[in-house]
């Protein structure tokens, strides 16, 4: 692995030296590939345009990130920004210079890449949804449909390449970790393409799924600790080798991400099974483009306000609890509360006209 890591450091150096002018672009790509943007942007848009795709996005993103967490605990992947300082591979020779950035110092293990895995899974769902919708109308295969398919998959791979290069440039991941992330994400998305039960799942299903994911992760964590496995090793290395302490963010810890994702999943289940959702989104209005657009715009605005709320980090337990509640409120707002308000507002406008 040292030889593989050393080769990865050379790639990191090459990108940082030759593409220094693209630093802002790489930082933006890394930010855009964060799963929180899936929940705050892609989900409300897709849900109100095509409910099934929005539901699948949440399941794929949450289950994929959960698998990523468990995989990281098993694989113990290093990250370039600390490995280059912590290794004995270079002996008495000079250690390669690797630059760090405000988004470099993630605290969890590095393999596979969560950004690459989440990005490939989410974009795979969106691309296949667009292709399915368009190709259903064009029953016969033509040159145009072939070109459209090629364009969509080219865009998909262009995004994945940008995400992978971004994570390597920022010294957050080695090349083999981002490749593993892309492949893993596509596998998760392909598996959920064959699971139809998620679209009609009951609140009980969401509740037990959330409990299972949480207690499995917690039990696995406790088991590894009981076996003498130090799961805080990556946090210690981040504290030691991160260039600036303020670049280490509490919300990048494994359990912070887990509770945030589980909150989104359970919030979706609660929202889909509420009476106000049934009243607002299952009637004739749902098929109207005006209703959908009036739901999308305020959903994006409100979820953006949720995103800028900073949670207190002085208490670890309180932070996790608030992260779960805040994440649960996001799909509940976009799926049930806002459509309910829009539905009543449109009915009031119609009555006023009459």
């Amino acid at each position: 692995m040292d030889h593989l890591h050393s080769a990865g450091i050379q790639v990191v150096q090459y990108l940082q030296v030759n593409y220094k002018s693209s630093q802002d672009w790489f930082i933006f790509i890394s930010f855009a590939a964060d799963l929180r943007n899936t929940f705050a942007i892609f989900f409300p848009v897709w849900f109100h345009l095509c409910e099934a795709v929005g539901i699948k996005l949440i399941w794929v993103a949450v289950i994929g990130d959960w698998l990523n967490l468990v995989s990281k605990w098993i694989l113990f992947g290093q990250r370039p920004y600390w490995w280059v300082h912590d290794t004995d591979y270079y002996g008495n020779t000079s250690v390669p210079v690797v630059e760090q950035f405000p988004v470099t110092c993630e605290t969890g293990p590095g393999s596979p890449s969560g950004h690459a895995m989440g990005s490939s899974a989410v974009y795979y769902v969106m691309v296949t949804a667009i292709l399915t919708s368009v190709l259903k109308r064009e029953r016969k295969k033509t040159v145009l449909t072939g070109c459209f398919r090629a364009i969509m998959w080219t865009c998909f791979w262009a995004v994945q390449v940008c995400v992978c290069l971004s994570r390597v440039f920022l010294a957050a991941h080695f090349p083999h970790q981002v490749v593993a992330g892309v492949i893993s994400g596509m596998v998760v998305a392909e598996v959920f393409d064959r699971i139809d039960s998620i679209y009609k799942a009951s609140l009980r299903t969401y509740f037990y799924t959330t409990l299972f994911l949480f207690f499995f992760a917690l039990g696995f964590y406790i088991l590894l600790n009981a076996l003498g496995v130090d799961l805080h090793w990556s946090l210690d290395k981040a504290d030691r080798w991160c260039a600036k302490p303020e670049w280490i963010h509490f919300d990048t810890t494994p359990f912070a991400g887990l509770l945030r994702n589980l909150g989104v999943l359970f919030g979706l289940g609660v929202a889909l099974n509420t009476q106000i959702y049934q009243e607002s989104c299952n009637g004739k209005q749902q098929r109207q483009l005006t209703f959908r657009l009036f739901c999308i715009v305020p959903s994006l605005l409100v979820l953006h306000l949720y995103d800028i709320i900073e949670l207190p980090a002085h208490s670890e337990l309180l932070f996790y609890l608030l992260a779960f509640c805040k994440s649960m409120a996001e799909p509940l707002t976009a799926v049930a509360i806002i459509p309910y308000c829009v539905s009543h507002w449109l009915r009031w406008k119609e009555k006023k006209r009459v």
Side-chain angles (χ1 to χ4, degrees):
M1 289 302 295
D2 282 342
H3 293 295
L4 185 61
H5 289 149
S6 176
I9 291 296
Q10 293 179 23
V11 176
V12 173
Q13 282 189 304
Y14 176 83
L15 291 175
Q16 290 186 347
V17 170
N18 293 279
Y19 296 93
K20 180 68 175 177
S21 60
S22 302
Q23 172 182 324
D24 292 339
W25 169 251
F26 284 131
I27 292 176
F28 169 75
I29 290 295
S30 185
F31 166 77
D34 194 292
L35 274 185
R36 280 173 286 195
N37 291 310
T38 296
F39 302 142
I41 299 175
F42 295 143
F43 167 69
V45 172
W46 273 104
F47 182 85
H48 292 297
L49 291 179
C50 181
E51 183 178 303
V53 178
I55 293 173
K56 187 195 291 187
L57 276 178
I58 295 296
W59 278 89
V60 166
V62 171
I63 299 300
D65 205 53
W66 179 83
L67 290 171
N68 182 266
L69 170 65
V70 175
S71 299
K72 285 181 175 179
W73 283 345
I74 296 173
L75 297 176
F76 269 58
Q78 303 284 339
R79 291 185 184 269
Y81 80 90
W82 75 55
W83 180 86
V84 72
H85 299 290
D86 203 53
T87 183
D88 296 327
Y89 178 79
Y90 298 103
N92 295 326
T93 60
S94 58
V95 176
V97 178
V98 173
E99 188 176 353
Q100 296 182 24
F101 306 89
V103 293
T104 295
C105 301
E106 296 205 19
T107 58
S111 186
S113 167
H115 280 72
M117 187 171 177
S119 173
S120 65
V122 167
Y123 277 87
Y124 191 91
V125 170
M126 293 192 293
V127 167
T128 53
I130 293 173
L131 288 175
T132 300
S133 176
V134 172
L135 297 180
K136 271 185 178 180
R137 302 171 188 172
E138 300 289 338
R139 296 182 179 180
K140 294 181 180 180
K141 292 184 179 180
T142 64
V143 175
L144 288 177
T145 58
C147 289
F148 182 74
R149 185 188 295 272
I151 290 171
M152 291 305 300
W153 285 116
T154 299
C155 292
F156 170 82
W157 285 110
V159 171
Q160 304 320 309
V161 168
C162 287
V163 172
C164 292
L165 291 177
S166 168
R167 301 305 290 165
V168 175
F169 175 89
L170 297 172
H173 287 290
F174 290 100
H176 69 277
Q177 295 173 342
V178 293
V179 171
V182 169
I183 296 173
S184 302
M186 292 174 65
V187 170
V188 172
E190 187 63 32
V191 168
F192 271 92
D193 199 39
R194 291 163 169 76
I195 302 176
D196 296 328
S197 58
I198 60 174
Y199 306 115
K200 297 296 181 181
S202 64
L203 179 58
R204 179 178 297 181
T205 299
Y206 278 95
F207 177 72
Y208 286 127
T209 301
T210 302
L211 282 183
F212 170 78
L213 295 176
F214 174 73
F215 282 109
F216 184 95
L218 180 62
F220 191 55
Y221 176 87
I222 294 173
L223 175 62
L224 291 177
N225 271 304
L227 294 174
V229 179
D230 180 17
L231 293 177
H232 294 284
W233 69 276
S234 60
L235 181 59
D236 295 338
K237 289 184 182 295
D239 285 333
R240 183 178 181 185
W241 296 116
C242 186
K244 297 182 179 180
E246 61 268 25
W247 288 353
I248 300 177
H249 301 289
F250 193 70
D251 61 353
T252 66
T253 58
F255 272 101
L258 175 67
L259 269 297
R260 182 171 58 244
N261 294 339
L262 294 184
V264 171
L265 181 64
F266 186 62
L268 175 64
V270 172
L272 291 175
N273 289 276
T274 56
Q275 186 63 33
I276 59 175
Y277 163 77
Q278 300 295 332
E279 291 179 6
S280 59
C281 289
N282 277 348
K284 294 181 180 179
Q285 283 185 330
Q286 187 192 25
R287 294 189 291 270
Q288 299 175 0
L289 181 60
T290 303
F291 174 76
R292 296 180 182 183
L293 293 177
F294 274 118
C295 289
I296 290 174
V297 175
S299 293
L300 292 173
L301 293 175
V302 173
L303 292 188
H304 176 70
L305 294 177
Y306 277 134
D307 193 49
I308 62 178
I309 296 176
E310 294 187 5
L311 301 179
H314 61 274
S315 170
E316 189 172 348
L317 184 60
L318 178 62
F319 179 88
Y320 289 152
L321 178 61
L322 292 178
F324 180 86
C325 295
K326 173 186 170 183
S327 298
M328 182 179 167
E330 292 177 3
L332 187 61
T333 301
V335 171
I337 297 176
I338 288 178
Y340 181 77
C341 295
V342 170
S343 176
H344 277 266
W345 179 72
L346 289 176
R347 289 172 185 169
W348 176 77
K349 292 283 287 184
E350 290 178 0
K351 290 180 180 179
K352 191 175 180 181
R353 289 175 184 174
V354 175

